[in-house]
Amino acid sequence: LQPNPFQQRIVLTAKTNLAADAKVQVYDLLGRDVSASSSRTLSTDAMVLDCATLEQGVYVFELINGGQRTRVKAVHVAR
């Protein structure tokens, strides 16, 4: 996940190829799913998330790729 902290976009890279149905769920620290607030661009090894509409704060990004789930925290800061 880079950059961290992030402002508008964040790039999620994978050590293995991402499946065509790979997805990212975004949660705030209260566990609420705020994924609808971010749009995605998917390639074979990276996913770019546009998070410009998220409020400033800490978020948990969960990458679901095949049967694997990976969670990473990131900080969204105002411009």
Side-chain angles (χ1 to χ4, degrees):
L1 211 59
Q2 61 178 329
N4 190 7
F6 67 98
Q7 288 184 347
Q8 290 187 330
R9 290 192 180 116
I10 193 161
V11 179
L12 216 131
T13 55
K15 292 180 182 176
T16 60
N17 285 345
L18 293 172
D21 62 346
K23 65 179 184 173
V24 172
Q25 297 294 117
V26 184
Y27 301 96
D28 64 15
L29 286 184
L30 296 176
R32 295 178 293 205
D33 185 348
V34 294
S35 300
S37 299
S38 60
S39 62
R40 301 152 182 77
T41 305
L42 177 66
S43 71
T44 57
D45 63 351
M47 187 178 297
V48 178
L49 302 170
D50 183 350
C51 301
T53 60
L54 291 177
E55 296 291 324
Q56 183 172 312
V58 178
Y59 292 90
V60 176
F61 292 81
E62 179 180 45
L63 172 64
I64 303 164
N65 187 30
Q68 295 183 326
R69 292 176 180 256
T70 305
R71 292 184 183 107
V72 179
K73 287 183 186 173
V75 178
H76 183 251
V77 294
R79 295 194 278 177

